[in-house]
Amino acid sequence: MPSDTRIQRARALIGTRFRLHGRDPATGIDCVGLIARVIHRESVAPTGYAMRGGTTDSWSAMMDAVCARRWSNLRAGDVLLLEAGPHQFHLGIWSGSGLIHADARLRRVVETPEPLVWPMVGAWGRTKG
């Protein structure tokens, strides 16, 4: 999926209500639901996880299963895995000038300008399959 298409799909969800494990914009989505919708993988998006938990390896493996990892040269449209706190991971779409993500604190999908407020753990580009 071209990066501009990912950005358009993500921006179309800005303002959508945040709901943990949410997958439907009508009732709310979380960061996993946002990414699943943007890359057309709603049917395989995991649920049942806690807001805090997991490991860098488990979250990276989840993304490796659906997207090609980018080791350098971050590009607009890439999916970013961020460490929002100890054992708290977060996903978003890099727009080229900020992050489009489902913000639990603001209770909605937003686009926040750069710089990133959380350390980046990994980035993924092209969708597999």
Side-chain angles (χ1 to χ4, degrees):
M1 173 181 304
S3 63
D4 59 334
T5 302
R6 278 188 179 181
I7 295 166
Q8 289 171 357
R9 290 177 59 80
R11 282 188 173 144
L13 293 167
I14 289 175
T16 299
R17 181 172 88 86
F18 175 89
R19 184 172 63 87
L20 185 61
H21 305 142
R23 299 294 178 267
D24 182 352
T27 58
I29 59 176
D30 65 3
C31 67
V32 175
L34 171 70
I35 300 306
R37 280 201 151 300
V38 168
I39 67 171
H40 295 291
R41 293 294 192 272
E42 296 96 320
S43 64
V44 296
T47 59
Y49 45 83
M51 285 279 281
R52 287 173 173 60
T55 64
T56 301
D57 290 342
S58 64
W59 282 91
S60 293
M62 177 184 71
M63 287 307 307
D64 286 341
V66 294
C67 293
R69 190 180 297 233
R70 188 172 308 289
W71 297 102
S72 61
N73 302 325
L74 188 63
R75 296 182 189 146
D78 283 353
V79 177
L80 305 186
L81 174 62
L82 308 160
E83 189 165 9
H87 303 286
Q88 184 178 2
F89 298 94
H90 189 52
L91 296 167
I93 298 287
W94 179 246
S95 69
S97 60
L99 184 71
I100 304 166
H101 62 113
D103 191 309
R105 186 177 44 86
L106 296 175
R107 308 298 300 163
R108 59 190 161 85
V109 176
V110 297
E111 183 171 2
T112 55
E114 62 182 325
L116 295 171
V117 296
W118 304 293
M120 186 172 68
V121 175
W124 287 262
R126 178 184 51 80
T127 305
K128 293 179 178 177

